Amino acid sequence: MKAHEVHEVPTPMTVKYWTRGTLIVGAVALMGMLGYLYRMFFGLEAATNLDDQWPWGIWIAIDVASGVALAAGGFTTAALAEIFHKEKYHVITRPALLTALLGYTFVVIGLLADLGRYYNVWHPMLPSMWQGNSVLFEVGMCVMVYLTVLYIEFLPIVSERFRGRVAWPGPLKAFNKLTEAMLALADRLLGRFVFVFIIMGVVLSCLHQSSLGTLMVIAPTKMHPLWYTSISPLLFLMSAIAVGFPMVIFESIIASRSFKLPPETKVLSSLANYTPMLLGAYLVAKILDLTLRNAWGYLFEGSLQSFMWMIEVGGGVILPIVLLSIPKVRKSVKGLFISATLVIILGVLLNRINVFLVAYTPLYSVKTYFPSIIELMVTIGLVAILVLVYRFFVITFPVIAVHPVDRAKQSAGVEMSPAGAKRNK
């Protein structure tokens, strides 16, 4: 078999965990952990600038709402590869799954910091404590179940990594056979029924992505008319679907750069083809919504809200539609990276900040909200910890697909392979 006929195989990365870059990220993560512990021991009042007028801050807008949206690459890629059987995208399904799994895990960790009584977070699991009229109850249940589904979907990767290699140290050797049997059972069962969990994941994602948009529908007198709309759940779902593929592109390019691998330009370029259509549908929905509600006048009132709306839609929606409609941009790693990260991802991030912070005005506000140092430390620190955990996972488990030639060069510490880059164009 010729070298170019050998396909990429998911492989643990053979690189050192600690580098100059990861040490810097580790220092940021440590500051975040200190801020997190401070909030847990001393409470919300001591750690944040939140109060009865401003009950939600950046932990909800960024850590939760934005985190859930940016983790949408997991279910959108799974739907494309596994449900619509677009086989060529299988090469990016494992990284997309890992990004979603870690993204939702850190959404829960961020949410715990924002909950006044975080130690009661398990209450929705008891039917006696269910509140069926609460939007947050539906969001909480969907996220809990979906996170469980994501870990189940990841089990075959764990089995592939350790099956036949289980070697517990010392007294734990007695569990070697049992662990092997459990891995074999999980591999056999999930091999037959994993499609059920994939479909469940897509359905659950659609439910809670839209439900997050329902949260602010209950506050019509506190929301600016540019964002207050009864179709907010639909807009949240459409924007999450639109940012799913760009997030996968962003993660793939960053990973290839970090691990000195040639980027999957051909697959990523093909994936980017869907984004202008998805963003275009979202833009049409936004325009129709403003027109039907006769709300265009608010766009020219010269307020902070009107200015932020124009940046969000102009920079985060219209600009990437134009950029990704140009074939030269889609076929360029730099073009994909800029259009996928600086524009689309930041656009969705800005949308969630606008909805939960900029558009929100308390009825009897006596001050404005700006996050405290602890709030900023926790948010930035959680991102840093997520990066470190992602690196640990891809070094430990076969997540990223690598051509055998590039794997050998990576092990030897050779810079990105020109032959590999050419192979992926």
Side-chain angles (χ1 to χ4, degrees), residues 363-380:
L363 288 181
Y364 306 104
S365 177
V366 294
K367 66 175 185 177
T368 57
Y369 165 77
F370 191 82
S372 68
I373 293 294
I374 299 296
E375 288 176 85
L376 293 171
M377 285 170 58
V378 170
T379 294
I380 297 171

mmCIF file of all heavy atoms in Angstrom, residues 363-380:
data_model
loop_
_atom_site.group_PDB
_atom_site.id
_atom_site.type_symbol
_atom_site.label_atom_id
_atom_site.label_comp_id
_atom_site.label_asym_id
_atom_site.label_seq_id
_atom_site.Cartn_x
_atom_site.Cartn_y
_atom_site.Cartn_z
ATOM 1 N N LEU A 363 -35.590 47.158 36.852
ATOM 2 C CA LEU A 363 -36.643 48.173 36.913
ATOM 3 C C LEU A 363 -36.244 49.354 37.791
ATOM 4 O O LEU A 363 -36.558 50.501 37.499
ATOM 5 C CB LEU A 363 -37.934 47.536 37.448
ATOM 6 C CG LEU A 363 -38.637 46.582 36.487
ATOM 7 C CD1 LEU A 363 -39.915 46.033 37.119
ATOM 8 C CD2 LEU A 363 -38.970 47.289 35.176
ATOM 9 N N TYR A 364 -35.567 49.083 38.889
ATOM 10 C CA TYR A 364 -35.197 50.153 39.817
ATOM 11 C C TYR A 364 -33.687 50.146 40.057
ATOM 12 O O TYR A 364 -33.207 50.083 41.185
ATOM 13 C CB TYR A 364 -35.936 49.976 41.148
ATOM 14 C CG TYR A 364 -37.427 49.877 40.967
ATOM 15 C CD1 TYR A 364 -38.081 48.655 41.062
ATOM 16 C CD2 TYR A 364 -38.183 51.008 40.663
ATOM 17 C CE1 TYR A 364 -39.451 48.561 40.870
ATOM 18 C CE2 TYR A 364 -39.551 50.920 40.465
ATOM 19 C CZ TYR A 364 -40.179 49.690 40.571
ATOM 20 O OH TYR A 364 -41.530 49.609 40.369
ATOM 21 N N SER A 365 -32.967 50.230 38.982
ATOM 22 C CA SER A 365 -31.517 50.135 39.063
ATOM 23 C C SER A 365 -30.911 51.390 39.683
ATOM 24 O O SER A 365 -31.276 52.517 39.339
ATOM 25 C CB SER A 365 -30.940 49.927 37.657
ATOM 26 O OG SER A 365 -29.543 49.903 37.709
ATOM 27 N N VAL A 366 -29.992 51.203 40.625
ATOM 28 C CA VAL A 366 -29.311 52.344 41.243
ATOM 29 C C VAL A 366 -27.834 52.362 40.867
ATOM 30 O O VAL A 366 -27.115 53.288 41.225
ATOM 31 C CB VAL A 366 -29.451 52.301 42.781
ATOM 32 C CG1 VAL A 366 -30.898 52.490 43.177
ATOM 33 C CG2 VAL A 366 -28.914 50.978 43.332
ATOM 34 N N LYS A 367 -27.373 51.335 40.183
ATOM 35 C CA LYS A 367 -25.984 51.298 39.747
ATOM 36 C C LYS A 367 -25.870 50.382 38.541
ATOM 37 O O LYS A 367 -26.786 49.613 38.237
ATOM 38 C CB LYS A 367 -25.068 50.803 40.873
ATOM 39 C CG LYS A 367 -25.327 49.357 41.258
ATOM 40 C CD LYS A 367 -24.316 48.870 42.288
ATOM 41 C CE LYS A 367 -24.515 47.385 42.573
ATOM 42 N NZ LYS A 367 -23.522 46.858 43.512
ATOM 43 N N THR A 368 -24.748 50.462 37.850
ATOM 44 C CA THR A 368 -24.504 49.569 36.719
ATOM 45 C C THR A 368 -23.674 48.381 37.200
ATOM 46 O O THR A 368 -23.018 48.447 38.246
ATOM 47 C CB THR A 368 -23.762 50.291 35.585
ATOM 48 O OG1 THR A 368 -22.534 50.821 36.110
ATOM 49 C CG2 THR A 368 -24.610 51.414 35.019
ATOM 50 N N TYR A 369 -23.704 47.328 36.416
ATOM 51 C CA TYR A 369 -22.947 46.112 36.784
ATOM 52 C C TYR A 369 -21.641 46.044 36.004
ATOM 53 O O TYR A 369 -21.605 46.258 34.799
ATOM 54 C CB TYR A 369 -23.777 44.868 36.485
ATOM 55 C CG TYR A 369 -22.957 43.586 36.476
ATOM 56 C CD1 TYR A 369 -22.554 42.989 37.667
ATOM 57 C CD2 TYR A 369 -22.556 42.999 35.269
ATOM 58 C CE1 TYR A 369 -21.787 41.839 37.672
ATOM 59 C CE2 TYR A 369 -21.796 41.842 35.259
ATOM 60 C CZ TYR A 369 -21.415 41.261 36.450
ATOM 61 O OH TYR A 369 -20.645 40.129 36.451
ATOM 62 N N PHE A 370 -20.563 45.748 36.714
ATOM 63 C CA PHE A 370 -19.290 45.412 36.082
ATOM 64 C C PHE A 370 -18.687 44.280 36.902
ATOM 65 O O PHE A 370 -18.697 44.336 38.140
ATOM 66 C CB PHE A 370 -18.335 46.608 36.050
ATOM 67 C CG PHE A 370 -17.127 46.373 35.170
ATOM 68 C CD1 PHE A 370 -17.209 46.557 33.800
ATOM 69 C CD2 PHE A 370 -15.922 45.931 35.722
ATOM 70 C CE1 PHE A 370 -16.109 46.314 32.983
ATOM 71 C CE2 PHE A 370 -14.822 45.678 34.916
ATOM 72 C CZ PHE A 370 -14.913 45.881 33.540
ATOM 73 N N PRO A 371 -18.191 43.229 36.245
ATOM 74 C CA PRO A 371 -17.712 42.063 37.012
ATOM 75 C C PRO A 371 -16.558 42.406 37.941
ATOM 76 O O PRO A 371 -15.714 43.249 37.631
ATOM 77 C CB PRO A 371 -17.281 41.088 35.905
ATOM 78 C CG PRO A 371 -17.065 41.938 34.691
ATOM 79 C CD PRO A 371 -18.047 43.052 34.791
ATOM 80 N N SER A 372 -16.519 41.712 39.078
ATOM 81 C CA SER A 372 -15.425 41.905 40.045
ATOM 82 C C SER A 372 -14.173 41.163 39.568
ATOM 83 O O SER A 372 -14.214 40.370 38.614
ATOM 84 C CB SER A 372 -15.850 41.346 41.413
ATOM 85 O OG SER A 372 -15.965 39.925 41.327
ATOM 86 N N ILE A 373 -13.074 41.409 40.259
ATOM 87 C CA ILE A 373 -11.819 40.718 39.932
ATOM 88 C C ILE A 373 -11.977 39.207 40.071
ATOM 89 O O ILE A 373 -11.502 38.428 39.240
ATOM 90 C CB ILE A 373 -10.683 41.218 40.851
ATOM 91 C CG1 ILE A 373 -10.370 42.685 40.548
ATOM 92 C CG2 ILE A 373 -9.436 40.356 40.665
ATOM 93 C CD1 ILE A 373 -9.791 42.919 39.163
ATOM 94 N N ILE A 374 -12.678 38.768 41.117
ATOM 95 C CA ILE A 374 -12.881 37.331 41.341
ATOM 96 C C ILE A 374 -13.696 36.722 40.194
ATOM 97 O O ILE A 374 -13.385 35.623 39.719
ATOM 98 C CB ILE A 374 -13.595 37.085 42.683
ATOM 99 C CG1 ILE A 374 -12.738 37.619 43.845
ATOM 100 C CG2 ILE A 374 -13.864 35.592 42.879
ATOM 101 C CD1 ILE A 374 -11.418 36.913 44.022
ATOM 102 N N GLU A 375 -14.739 37.436 39.758
ATOM 103 C CA GLU A 375 -15.543 36.926 38.631
ATOM 104 C C GLU A 375 -14.675 36.748 37.386
ATOM 105 O O GLU A 375 -14.762 35.730 36.692
ATOM 106 C CB GLU A 375 -16.700 37.879 38.333
ATOM 107 C CG GLU A 375 -17.808 37.863 39.374
ATOM 108 C CD GLU A 375 -18.880 38.890 39.076
ATOM 109 O OE1 GLU A 375 -19.796 38.577 38.301
ATOM 110 O OE2 GLU A 375 -18.794 40.017 39.604
ATOM 111 N N LEU A 376 -13.840 37.741 37.102
ATOM 112 C CA LEU A 376 -12.961 37.656 35.917
ATOM 113 C C LEU A 376 -11.946 36.531 36.083
ATOM 114 O O LEU A 376 -11.677 35.775 35.142
ATOM 115 C CB LEU A 376 -12.243 38.998 35.708
ATOM 116 C CG LEU A 376 -13.143 40.180 35.307
ATOM 117 C CD1 LEU A 376 -12.353 41.480 35.340
ATOM 118 C CD2 LEU A 376 -13.725 39.956 33.908
ATOM 119 N N MET A 377 -11.381 36.401 37.307
ATOM 120 C CA MET A 377 -10.389 35.339 37.556
ATOM 121 C C MET A 377 -10.990 33.962 37.319
ATOM 122 O O MET A 377 -10.374 33.084 36.703
ATOM 123 C CB MET A 377 -9.864 35.439 38.997
ATOM 124 C CG MET A 377 -8.880 36.563 39.243
ATOM 125 S SD MET A 377 -8.528 36.792 41.016
ATOM 126 C CE MET A 377 -7.911 35.178 41.472
ATOM 127 N N VAL A 378 -12.226 33.760 37.806
ATOM 128 C CA VAL A 378 -12.867 32.446 37.668
ATOM 129 C C VAL A 378 -13.158 32.141 36.204
ATOM 130 O O VAL A 378 -12.886 31.039 35.722
ATOM 131 C CB VAL A 378 -14.162 32.399 38.506
ATOM 132 C CG1 VAL A 378 -14.967 31.145 38.191
ATOM 133 C CG2 VAL A 378 -13.830 32.447 39.987
ATOM 134 N N THR A 379 -13.703 33.123 35.483
ATOM 135 C CA THR A 379 -14.055 32.886 34.070
ATOM 136 C C THR A 379 -12.808 32.571 33.239
ATOM 137 O O THR A 379 -12.772 31.588 32.484
ATOM 138 C CB THR A 379 -14.783 34.118 33.503
ATOM 139 O OG1 THR A 379 -16.033 34.265 34.176
ATOM 140 C CG2 THR A 379 -15.040 33.950 32.017
ATOM 141 N N ILE A 380 -11.775 33.399 33.370
ATOM 142 C CA ILE A 380 -10.543 33.174 32.591
ATOM 143 C C ILE A 380 -9.860 31.882 33.051
ATOM 144 O O ILE A 380 -9.334 31.108 32.247
ATOM 145 C CB ILE A 380 -9.601 34.387 32.732
ATOM 146 C CG1 ILE A 380 -10.269 35.638 32.153
ATOM 147 C CG2 ILE A 380 -8.271 34.125 32.029
ATOM 148 C CD1 ILE A 380 -9.518 36.926 32.425
#
